[in-house]
Amino acid sequence: MHIVPFLCILYLLAFLDRVNIANARSFGLEAELGLERVEFNTALTIFFVPYIILEIPSNIFLKKFSPRLWLSVCCLGFGIVSIAQGLVQNYAGLLVTRFFLGVFECGMFPGCFYLLGMWYKREEAQKRFSLFFSSTSLAGAFGGLLASAIGKMDYMRGYRGWRWIFILEGVVTVVFGLVFLLTFPSFPEEATWLTEDERAFVKARLEADQGKNAAERKITFADVKSVLSDIKVWLGGLMYFGLIVPAYGYAYFSTTIIMTYKFNAIETQLRSVPPWAGAFVLAMVVAVVSDWMRHRFLFAILPILFSISGFAILFNVHDNVDVMYMALFFIAAGTYSAMPVIVCWFNMNLGGHHRRAIGTAWQIGFGNIGGIISTYSFLPDDAPLYKKGYAICVSFICLSAASCTAYAYVLWKENKKRAKAVHDVGLTEYEKLELGDLNPEFRYML
C-alpha cells in the first residue's frame, strides 16, 4: 500500500494528460485552432521528441534527488502544462505545450518501473508491474467517461468543451502533485516509514533474489556505455518498440476509428470505455498467472496474438460494426496485456541500481520512437478504412514477437552457460556489485 497505489495514480494522471488530446479532438479542437491535414498528427509527434531524449537523464536525476522529489515535481509540471494546453489560441501554442508535456512526462514511466523493481522480488513483481501499467487502461476508460461528461460543458464561460477537458484534468493533476511532494514513496534505503529492521529485511530478500544493488553508487557515463553494449538491452528496446506503435496507435486514434462507425461525439467517448476496461481485466489475469508460473515469455507472446487477430479483423471487415467493435477489444486487451509483461521481464532481469536505471530508461526511451511512427500511421486521407495504419501496427507487433523470441533464447543460452561454469570464480563483493546481472551467479528469468 505504500508503493503501488501512488505509482498507479501518478501514471494514470500522466497518461490521461498525454492522450486526452484524442478526446479533445472529438469536441472541436481541430476546428477552433484551424488545424489542417497532418497538423494534428504533428502535434502528437512533438511530444515524443523530449520524451525519447530525456529518459536516461531523468532516471539519473531520479536516483540523485529521490523519487519523491523528482517525480512529484514532474507531476506538477505536466499538470500545469496540461492547463496551458487548454488555453492555447493557435497551432504554434499547441506544439509548444505538447513539447513541454513530453519534457515533464519523460521520467514517469521508466522512473516508476525503476522504483518498483527496487522493492519486489522477480516472482512477485509482475502483478505489481501490470497493475501499475494498467493505469493506462484505466486512464483510457476514465478519459472517455470524463470527456463525455466534460464535453457537455461546451461553450460554458465562452470555452469550447475541448478546452475544459485539458483545464479540469490538469487542475486535478496539480493538486495530486502537491500532495505527492509530501507523501510519495522512495527507495527502500530512503523510506522513512520503515524501521531499521524492516529496511534490512527488504534489502536481504532482494539480495537473495537479485544480488546486491549498489544503491549508494553514482551512475557514470562508463555505466551507460557498458549497459548499451549488451545485446540483451537492445533486444529489450526492440520488444517494447514493436508494441508502442499499436499501443499509441490505439490510444490516440481509437476514438477516431469509433467515430467512423457513425456515432456522435458523446457516444464515441462512451463506446471507447469498454475495450479499455477489458484490457485491464486481461492484463491482471495474465500477470497473476505469470507470477504463479514464474514465467514471462509465453505470457508476452499469447496476448500479442490477440492483438494481431484484432488488427486482422479491422483490415478485412468493413461492413459489420459489431465485429469491428469487437476487434477493438482484442487490440486493446492484447497490446496492453503484453506490454507490462515485456517491461517487467526486462527490468527484473537487470541487476543493480546502475544497470536497472540505465536499462529501464533505455528500453522506454528507445521504444517510444515507435510513438512517432504511430502518430503518422492513421492519417485523414486513409479514413475510414485506415488499412495502412492497421498494416503498420501488425508489422511492428511481429517485430516485437520476434524480439521476444530472440531475447528468450539469449537468456536461455546464458543460463545454460552459467550452469556449466565454475560457481565460485573468486569475485569480490565489490566486483559482484559492479557486474549486476552479469555476475556469473545471477540467473535470468524466462
Side-chain angles (χ1 to χ4, degrees), residues 152-181:
K152 296 177 182 178
M153 298 173 63
D154 210 11
Y155 293 107
M156 183 178 289
R157 296 187 177 275
Y159 283 173
R160 292 296 311 272
W162 69 267
R163 294 186 182 276
W164 286 115
I165 289 173
F166 290 133
I167 292 170
L168 294 181
E169 292 177 6
V171 167
V172 171
T173 299
V174 169
V175 171
F176 272 98
L178 292 171
V179 173
F180 286 158
L181 276 172

Short mmCIF file of all heavy atoms in Angstrom, two decimals, residues 152-181:
data_model
loop_
_atom_site.label_atom_id
_atom_site.label_comp_id
_atom_site.label_asym_id
_atom_site.label_seq_id
_atom_site.Cartn_x
_atom_site.Cartn_y
_atom_site.Cartn_z
N LYS A 152 -20.01 18.13 -22.28
CA LYS A 152 -21.31 18.81 -22.15
C LYS A 152 -21.16 20.24 -21.64
O LYS A 152 -22.12 21.00 -21.61
CB LYS A 152 -22.22 18.01 -21.22
CG LYS A 152 -22.57 16.62 -21.77
CD LYS A 152 -23.40 15.81 -20.80
CE LYS A 152 -23.70 14.42 -21.37
NZ LYS A 152 -24.46 13.57 -20.43
N MET A 153 -19.94 20.61 -21.23
CA MET A 153 -19.66 21.98 -20.80
C MET A 153 -19.31 22.87 -21.99
O MET A 153 -18.83 24.00 -21.81
CB MET A 153 -18.51 21.99 -19.80
CG MET A 153 -18.78 21.23 -18.52
SD MET A 153 -17.32 21.08 -17.46
CE MET A 153 -17.00 22.80 -17.06
N ASP A 154 -19.54 22.37 -23.20
CA ASP A 154 -19.22 23.11 -24.42
C ASP A 154 -19.80 24.53 -24.37
O ASP A 154 -20.99 24.71 -24.11
CB ASP A 154 -19.77 22.36 -25.63
CG ASP A 154 -18.95 22.59 -26.88
OD1 ASP A 154 -17.84 23.15 -26.77
OD2 ASP A 154 -19.41 22.20 -27.97
N TYR A 155 -18.92 25.53 -24.59
CA TYR A 155 -19.25 26.95 -24.60
C TYR A 155 -19.54 27.53 -23.22
O TYR A 155 -19.92 28.69 -23.10
CB TYR A 155 -20.44 27.23 -25.53
CG TYR A 155 -20.12 26.99 -26.99
CD1 TYR A 155 -20.62 25.89 -27.65
CD2 TYR A 155 -19.28 27.87 -27.70
CE1 TYR A 155 -20.31 25.64 -28.99
CE2 TYR A 155 -18.97 27.64 -29.03
CZ TYR A 155 -19.49 26.53 -29.67
OH TYR A 155 -19.18 26.30 -30.98
N MET A 156 -19.37 26.75 -22.15
CA MET A 156 -19.52 27.31 -20.81
C MET A 156 -18.43 28.36 -20.58
O MET A 156 -17.25 28.11 -20.82
CB MET A 156 -19.44 26.21 -19.76
CG MET A 156 -19.66 26.71 -18.33
SD MET A 156 -19.61 25.37 -17.10
CE MET A 156 -21.14 24.52 -17.48
N ARG A 157 -18.83 29.54 -20.13
CA ARG A 157 -17.92 30.68 -19.91
C ARG A 157 -17.10 31.01 -21.16
O ARG A 157 -15.97 31.49 -21.09
CB ARG A 157 -16.99 30.43 -18.73
CG ARG A 157 -17.73 30.30 -17.39
CD ARG A 157 -16.77 30.21 -16.22
NE ARG A 157 -17.50 30.15 -14.98
CZ ARG A 157 -17.94 31.19 -14.28
NH1 ARG A 157 -17.71 32.43 -14.76
NH2 ARG A 157 -18.59 31.05 -13.15
N GLY A 158 -17.67 30.70 -22.31
CA GLY A 158 -17.04 31.02 -23.58
C GLY A 158 -15.98 30.06 -24.04
O GLY A 158 -15.31 30.30 -25.05
N TYR A 159 -15.78 28.94 -23.31
CA TYR A 159 -14.77 27.95 -23.66
C TYR A 159 -15.42 26.73 -24.29
O TYR A 159 -16.43 26.23 -23.80
CB TYR A 159 -13.97 27.50 -22.43
CG TYR A 159 -12.92 28.49 -21.97
CD1 TYR A 159 -12.23 28.26 -20.78
CD2 TYR A 159 -12.61 29.63 -22.70
CE1 TYR A 159 -11.25 29.14 -20.33
CE2 TYR A 159 -11.65 30.52 -22.27
CZ TYR A 159 -10.98 30.28 -21.08
OH TYR A 159 -10.01 31.15 -20.66
N ARG A 160 -14.82 26.24 -25.39
CA ARG A 160 -15.28 25.01 -26.00
C ARG A 160 -15.01 23.82 -25.07
O ARG A 160 -14.16 23.86 -24.19
CB ARG A 160 -14.59 24.77 -27.35
CG ARG A 160 -14.98 25.75 -28.46
CD ARG A 160 -16.46 25.64 -28.85
NE ARG A 160 -16.89 24.28 -29.10
CZ ARG A 160 -16.81 23.66 -30.28
NH1 ARG A 160 -16.28 24.28 -31.32
NH2 ARG A 160 -17.27 22.43 -30.42
N GLY A 161 -15.70 22.71 -25.32
CA GLY A 161 -15.57 21.53 -24.48
C GLY A 161 -14.16 20.98 -24.43
O GLY A 161 -13.69 20.50 -23.39
N TRP A 162 -13.43 21.05 -25.57
CA TRP A 162 -12.07 20.50 -25.59
C TRP A 162 -11.14 21.24 -24.63
O TRP A 162 -10.24 20.64 -24.04
CB TRP A 162 -11.50 20.50 -27.01
CG TRP A 162 -11.19 21.84 -27.61
CD1 TRP A 162 -12.01 22.61 -28.39
CD2 TRP A 162 -9.95 22.57 -27.48
NE1 TRP A 162 -11.38 23.77 -28.76
CE2 TRP A 162 -10.12 23.76 -28.23
CE3 TRP A 162 -8.75 22.33 -26.83
CZ2 TRP A 162 -9.10 24.73 -28.32
CZ3 TRP A 162 -7.73 23.28 -26.92
CH2 TRP A 162 -7.92 24.46 -27.67
N ARG A 163 -11.37 22.55 -24.46
CA ARG A 163 -10.55 23.32 -23.53
C ARG A 163 -10.79 22.88 -22.09
O ARG A 163 -9.85 22.74 -21.29
CB ARG A 163 -10.83 24.82 -23.68
CG ARG A 163 -10.42 25.40 -25.03
CD ARG A 163 -10.58 26.91 -25.04
NE ARG A 163 -10.22 27.48 -26.33
CZ ARG A 163 -8.99 27.79 -26.71
NH1 ARG A 163 -7.98 27.57 -25.87
NH2 ARG A 163 -8.74 28.31 -27.89
N TRP A 164 -12.04 22.65 -21.75
CA TRP A 164 -12.36 22.22 -20.39
C TRP A 164 -11.75 20.85 -20.07
O TRP A 164 -11.37 20.58 -18.93
CB TRP A 164 -13.88 22.18 -20.19
CG TRP A 164 -14.51 23.53 -20.05
CD1 TRP A 164 -15.39 24.13 -20.89
CD2 TRP A 164 -14.28 24.46 -18.98
NE1 TRP A 164 -15.74 25.38 -20.44
CE2 TRP A 164 -15.06 25.61 -19.27
CE3 TRP A 164 -13.48 24.45 -17.85
CZ2 TRP A 164 -15.07 26.72 -18.43
CZ3 TRP A 164 -13.50 25.56 -17.01
CH2 TRP A 164 -14.29 26.68 -17.31
N ILE A 165 -11.65 19.98 -21.08
CA ILE A 165 -11.02 18.66 -20.86
C ILE A 165 -9.59 18.83 -20.38
O ILE A 165 -9.16 18.23 -19.39
CB ILE A 165 -11.06 17.82 -22.16
CG1 ILE A 165 -12.51 17.39 -22.46
CG2 ILE A 165 -10.16 16.59 -22.04
CD1 ILE A 165 -12.67 16.70 -23.80
N PHE A 166 -8.82 19.69 -21.07
CA PHE A 166 -7.43 19.93 -20.67
C PHE A 166 -7.34 20.64 -19.33
O PHE A 166 -6.53 20.27 -18.46
CB PHE A 166 -6.71 20.78 -21.74
CG PHE A 166 -6.45 20.06 -23.03
CD1 PHE A 166 -6.73 20.66 -24.25
CD2 PHE A 166 -5.88 18.80 -23.03
CE1 PHE A 166 -6.47 20.02 -25.44
CE2 PHE A 166 -5.62 18.14 -24.22
CZ PHE A 166 -5.92 18.75 -25.43
N ILE A 167 -8.15 21.67 -19.14
CA ILE A 167 -8.04 22.51 -17.95
C ILE A 167 -8.41 21.73 -16.68
O ILE A 167 -7.64 21.72 -15.70
CB ILE A 167 -8.93 23.77 -18.08
CG1 ILE A 167 -8.37 24.68 -19.18
CG2 ILE A 167 -9.02 24.51 -16.75
CD1 ILE A 167 -9.30 25.83 -19.56
N LEU A 168 -9.56 21.08 -16.68
CA LEU A 168 -10.01 20.39 -15.47
C LEU A 168 -9.12 19.20 -15.12
O LEU A 168 -8.78 18.99 -13.94
CB LEU A 168 -11.46 19.93 -15.64
CG LEU A 168 -12.50 21.06 -15.76
CD1 LEU A 168 -13.90 20.48 -15.90
CD2 LEU A 168 -12.43 21.98 -14.54
N GLU A 169 -8.72 18.43 -16.12
CA GLU A 169 -7.84 17.29 -15.84
C GLU A 169 -6.46 17.77 -15.40
O GLU A 169 -5.80 17.12 -14.57
CB GLU A 169 -7.76 16.37 -17.06
CG GLU A 169 -9.10 15.68 -17.33
CD GLU A 169 -9.10 14.81 -18.58
OE1 GLU A 169 -8.03 14.65 -19.20
OE2 GLU A 169 -10.17 14.27 -18.93
N GLY A 170 -6.01 18.91 -15.92
CA GLY A 170 -4.74 19.48 -15.49
C GLY A 170 -4.78 19.96 -14.04
O GLY A 170 -3.82 19.79 -13.29
N VAL A 171 -5.90 20.56 -13.65
CA VAL A 171 -6.05 21.03 -12.27
C VAL A 171 -5.97 19.87 -11.28
O VAL A 171 -5.31 19.94 -10.24
CB VAL A 171 -7.38 21.79 -12.10
CG1 VAL A 171 -7.70 22.02 -10.62
CG2 VAL A 171 -7.32 23.13 -12.83
N VAL A 172 -6.65 18.77 -11.62
CA VAL A 172 -6.60 17.58 -10.75
C VAL A 172 -5.16 17.08 -10.61
O VAL A 172 -4.71 16.72 -9.51
CB VAL A 172 -7.50 16.46 -11.33
CG1 VAL A 172 -7.29 15.16 -10.57
CG2 VAL A 172 -8.97 16.87 -11.27
N THR A 173 -4.41 17.09 -11.70
CA THR A 173 -3.01 16.63 -11.67
C THR A 173 -2.16 17.51 -10.76
O THR A 173 -1.33 17.02 -9.98
CB THR A 173 -2.42 16.62 -13.09
OG1 THR A 173 -3.18 15.73 -13.90
CG2 THR A 173 -0.97 16.18 -13.08
N VAL A 174 -2.35 18.82 -10.84
CA VAL A 174 -1.58 19.75 -10.00
C VAL A 174 -1.86 19.50 -8.52
O VAL A 174 -0.94 19.49 -7.68
CB VAL A 174 -1.90 21.21 -10.38
CG1 VAL A 174 -1.32 22.17 -9.34
CG2 VAL A 174 -1.33 21.53 -11.76
N VAL A 175 -3.11 19.28 -8.18
CA VAL A 175 -3.48 19.01 -6.78
C VAL A 175 -2.76 17.75 -6.27
O VAL A 175 -2.18 17.75 -5.18
CB VAL A 175 -5.01 18.84 -6.63
CG1 VAL A 175 -5.36 18.34 -5.23
CG2 VAL A 175 -5.70 20.17 -6.91
N PHE A 176 -2.79 16.70 -7.07
CA PHE A 176 -2.10 15.47 -6.67
C PHE A 176 -0.59 15.67 -6.59
O PHE A 176 0.08 15.11 -5.71
CB PHE A 176 -2.42 14.33 -7.63
CG PHE A 176 -3.66 13.56 -7.28
CD1 PHE A 176 -4.87 13.84 -7.89
CD2 PHE A 176 -3.62 12.57 -6.31
CE1 PHE A 176 -6.02 13.14 -7.56
CE2 PHE A 176 -4.76 11.85 -5.96
CZ PHE A 176 -5.97 12.14 -6.60
N GLY A 177 -0.03 16.47 -7.49
CA GLY A 177 1.40 16.75 -7.46
C GLY A 177 1.82 17.39 -6.15
O GLY A 177 2.88 17.06 -5.59
N LEU A 178 1.02 18.31 -5.65
CA LEU A 178 1.31 18.97 -4.37
C LEU A 178 1.25 17.97 -3.21
O LEU A 178 2.09 18.00 -2.30
CB LEU A 178 0.33 20.12 -4.14
CG LEU A 178 0.46 21.31 -5.10
CD1 LEU A 178 -0.71 22.28 -4.90
CD2 LEU A 178 1.79 22.03 -4.87
N VAL A 179 0.27 17.09 -3.26
CA VAL A 179 0.16 16.06 -2.21
C VAL A 179 1.35 15.11 -2.27
O VAL A 179 1.91 14.72 -1.23
CB VAL A 179 -1.17 15.28 -2.36
CG1 VAL A 179 -1.23 14.11 -1.39
CG2 VAL A 179 -2.36 16.20 -2.15
N PHE A 180 1.75 14.74 -3.48
CA PHE A 180 2.87 13.79 -3.65
C PHE A 180 4.18 14.33 -3.10
O PHE A 180 5.05 13.56 -2.68
CB PHE A 180 3.04 13.43 -5.13
CG PHE A 180 1.99 12.50 -5.66
CD1 PHE A 180 1.73 12.43 -7.03
CD2 PHE A 180 1.24 11.69 -4.82
CE1 PHE A 180 0.77 11.57 -7.53
CE2 PHE A 180 0.27 10.83 -5.30
CZ PHE A 180 0.03 10.77 -6.67
N LEU A 181 4.37 15.66 -3.13
CA LEU A 181 5.59 16.24 -2.60
C LEU A 181 5.83 15.84 -1.14
O LEU A 181 6.97 15.76 -0.68
CB LEU A 181 5.54 17.77 -2.71
CG LEU A 181 5.96 18.38 -4.05
CD1 LEU A 181 5.66 19.87 -4.07
CD2 LEU A 181 7.44 18.14 -4.31
#
